[in-house]
Amino acid sequence: DTGVSQDPRHKITKRGQNVTFRCDPISEHNRLYWYRQTLGQGPEFLTYFQNEAQLEKSRLLSDRFSAERPKGSFSTLEIQRTEQGDSAMYLCASSGDSLGETQYFGPGTRLLVL
Amino acid sequence: QKEVEQNSGPLSVPEGAIASLNCTYSDRVSQSFFWYRQYSGKSPELIMSIYSNGDKEDGRFTAQLNKASQYVSLLIRDSQPSDSATYLCAVSPRYSNYQLIWGAGTKLIIKP
């Protein structure tokens, strides 16, 4: 069990550019989550996958954000036309299927939009 | 009213003392409760989960759940400087069997 991994760990981009982040969950976990966290706040839910199906997307997520998990393994989160307000830590977590399963987090990708 | 509330702190505790962290939640039917620790610039890591009323102990950590009063707490005995971090409370609400609702966290400082 190698844990949840994320790539890259840091990303600096200019406003208006597109960025893509990758998450590799714990291998036996079917559920995968994306969160965003800003300083002094708890993680904010973005979206959730059960295997390859995206079952929920936060209402707070604009159309500039899209996520995929094509084969039910790794996932990507893309932000198009980045804005300075997108600067945050983007966290990926995975869990098993049962009710109340613990979510295990990756190290996160810190995004800075200049 | 926020769904999950925590005192933002900072909470300052002398080394060796007991640190007490509290969390209240609004959804009376919530079933699962989690405490995560987050060091500055790092991602959250699970400290403890609790599902039933009462106390659950794991080493120096004890989680306490009171569903009638809608609060969950975390006690850290024999506090160490390495316990200095932000502690996040997360609750699984009735309307979702996968989503967690997070508090903003309490910053804990253990003074040597």
Side-chain angles (χ1 to χ4, degrees):
Chain A
D1 180 1
T2 57
V4 180
S5 61
Q6 292 186 246
D7 183 70
R9 297 289 302 276
H10 303 274
K11 179 71 177 179
I12 300 174
T13 191
K14 293 182 179 179
R15 188 175 51 189
Q17 297 295 305
N18 299 343
V19 295
T20 299
F21 308 143
R22 176 179 170 127
C23 171
D24 287 87
I26 293 171
S27 57
E28 62 267 29
H29 285 173
N30 292 329
R31 294 183 172 180
L32 186 147
Y33 315 80
W34 284 100
Y35 292 91
R36 176 172 63 191
Q37 187 178 26
T38 54
L39 196 63
Q41 300 298 316
E44 174 190 22
F45 173 77
L46 294 180
T47 191
Y48 153 69
F49 290 86
Q50 174 78 40
N51 298 309
E52 67 276 8
Q54 186 176 20
L55 297 188
E56 185 164 341
K57 186 176 176 180
S58 169
R59 293 190 302 273
L60 301 174
L61 214 57
S62 77
D63 292 341
R64 298 184 297 105
F65 288 73
S66 62
E68 294 183 341
R69 193 183 183 195
K71 297 183 179 180
S73 56
F74 73 92
S75 175
T76 58
L77 176 69
E78 181 182 19
I79 309 174
Q80 297 181 326
R81 305 181 302 282
T82 53
E83 302 172 356
Q84 288 184 326
D86 297 330
S87 296
M89 173 81 91
Y90 289 83
L91 296 163
C92 176
S94 70
S95 77
D97 290 341
S98 301
L99 180 67
E101 282 272 354
T102 296
Q103 296 184 19
Y104 294 93
F105 284 83
T109 294
R110 184 169 295 280
L111 173 67
L112 178 60
V113 182
L114 301 176
Chain B
Q1 180 189 4
K2 292 183 181 179
E3 293 187 75
V4 178
E5 296 203 56
Q6 297 180 255
N7 188 318
S8 62
L11 174 65
S12 184
V13 174
E15 183 176 358
I18 296 175
S20 177
L21 303 161
N22 298 311
C23 171
T24 59
Y25 59 93
S26 59
D27 185 353
R28 181 174 291 276
V29 190
S30 297
Q31 294 295 319
S32 306
F33 307 85
F34 304 87
W35 282 101
Y36 284 78
R37 176 175 64 197
Q38 187 172 29
Y39 293 113
S40 181
K42 304 296 184 181
S43 62
E45 57 178 327
L46 180 74
I47 296 294
M48 189 173 295
S49 59
I50 186 167
Y51 306 98
S52 304
N53 276 330
D55 295 358
K56 180 180 178 182
E57 186 174 321
D58 184 0
R60 296 187 296 113
F61 298 93
T62 298
Q64 299 175 319
L65 175 60
N66 184 323
K67 290 187 177 181
S69 299
Q70 294 174 237
Y71 81 79
V72 56
S73 62
L74 181 70
L75 301 178
I76 307 174
R77 290 182 299 281
D78 188 24
S79 297
Q80 302 296 311
S82 59
D83 295 327
S84 298
T86 295
Y87 289 79
L88 296 163
C89 172
V91 175
S92 179
R94 80 169 93 181
Y95 53 81
S96 171
N97 67 350
Y98 59 85
Q99 190 174 148
L100 291 179
I101 306 301
W102 294 80
T106 297
K107 184 172 183 178
L108 176 65
I109 299 172
I110 306 301
K111 292 189 171 181

